[in-house]
Amino acid sequence: MKKNIFSAIQPNGPITIGHYIGVLKKWLVLQEKYNCFYCIADLHSYTDILSEKKFYILDILSILLSLGINYRKCIVFLQSHINEHIKLYWLLNCCSYIGELKRMTQFKQKVKEKNHKIINCGLLNYPILMAADILLYDSHYVIIGKDQIQHLEFTKIIAQRMNKLFNNKIFNLPKYILSSCSKIMSLLNPSKKMSKSDINKNNVIYLLDTPDLVSSKVKNCITDNDFPPRIVFDVINKPGISNLLNILSNISNISIYELENKFIGYSYKEFKKIITNKINSFLFLLQKKYFFFRKKEKFLKNILLVGKFKAKQIAQQKMFWIKKWLNYF
Ligand code: TRP
């Protein structure tokens, strides 16, 4: 039988090239061999609702279709369409400890970023909702970026805790599939991950950026002062150049090793120009499809309804069994 794969993307900003390389490329490949549940995790984005109220649900769906995600093969759905996520979330909440949530690296980073000011409870409980997403669909594998590994480990811990508590195998213990071997970093600060919610837009290449924008962002991105210039992959000493090599390798499907050889003797300016052209020709094709799909709102909403119908059946059945194990009736 085909195994289940779960993955999700938050609709809290337009999609970046980092997200494409990091996660969505894997979504595309794996849809051929597995039962894939691809979720637009809007409930997770509520954690920003006090400062940011825009959601990009149909934009993201259009991007997924443009990249080649096949909504007939996979279950593509909106998290808030399925109430069972909240039901299971609450149950898991009651079986999680505040201490383990407070120790999560992502939570600690958010607290630091927000300068300890407004920390809403959603930020603390975020991993529990993620665990509910995953466990509701008996996921065997979860596609995540490196930064989410800790959340997946937490999911396994709660799943085991519940299984032990009820002396039963209520939940599958999911394994993770790492989306990409190396993260795509921010352009001006290559020690930080490229993130769609970055305040400085010059750190990020979005899939919907115009050619001029891409050109100026790449031109201004951080490299180093090596003389003569050396285009080699060395994350510690040359984080900026390594990040560009990583982007180029993923967009062109040429190995970093081959690229290093190809660019011997090139200046950073020439190197950046080639990257800009490569990114722009990739985005040109993608955007053409995107604008075609994005205009068809009825069609897009219908895809989400089809996804809702399919996901709901599975989620409802899982909740039915969970309640039975809990001796609810
Ligand atoms: N937290 C993930 C992110 O920001 C998104 C997400 C929500 C997710 N629920 C999930 C990822 C379940 C994998 C599985 O990238």
Side-chain angles (χ1 to χ4, degrees), residues 5-9 11 27 36-43 57 60-61 64 69 71 74-83 85 132-134 136-137 300 303-312 314-315:
I5 287 198
F6 192 95
S7 197
I9 182 167
W27 284 28
C36 294
F37 295 82
Y38 292 150
C39 170
I40 300 180
D42 55 337
L43 297 174
I57 294 164
I60 287 184
L61 180 59
L64 296 179
I69 294 292
Y71 66 92
C74 332
I75 301 185
V76 180
F77 70 103
L78 186 63
Q79 191 183 26
S80 64
H81 273 168
I82 313 288
N83 295 335
H85 287 247
D133 297 342
I134 295 167
L136 202 47
Y137 299 96
L300 295 171
I303 290 182
L304 291 180
L305 288 182
V306 172
K308 174 182 176 181
F309 179 77
K310 294 188 199 162
K312 182 92 189 162
I314 299 165

Side-chain angles (χ1 to χ4, degrees), residues 179-198:
S179 45
S180 124
C181 352
S182 42
K183 276 193 279 195
I184 301 301
M185 311 308 272
S186 114
L187 298 176
L188 298 175
N189 178 4
S191 63
K192 200 176 82 173
K193 189 181 126 180
M194 185 184 280
S195 155
K196 55 184 169 326
S197 48
D198 200 312

Side-chain angles (χ1 to χ4, degrees), residues 6-10 12 19 23 27 39-41 44 79 85 106 126 129-134 142-145 147-148 151-152 155 193 196:
F6 192 95
S7 197
I9 182 167
Q10 283 194 59
N12 61 350
H19 213 100
V23 177
W27 284 28
C39 170
I40 300 180
H44 275 98
Q79 191 183 26
H85 287 247
Q106 185 171 310
Y126 182 106
L129 182 57
M130 196 163 149
D133 297 342
I134 295 167
V142 183
I143 310 171
I144 44 169
D147 58 320
Q148 301 290 318
H151 293 162
L152 196 89
T155 302
K193 189 181 126 180
K196 55 184 169 326

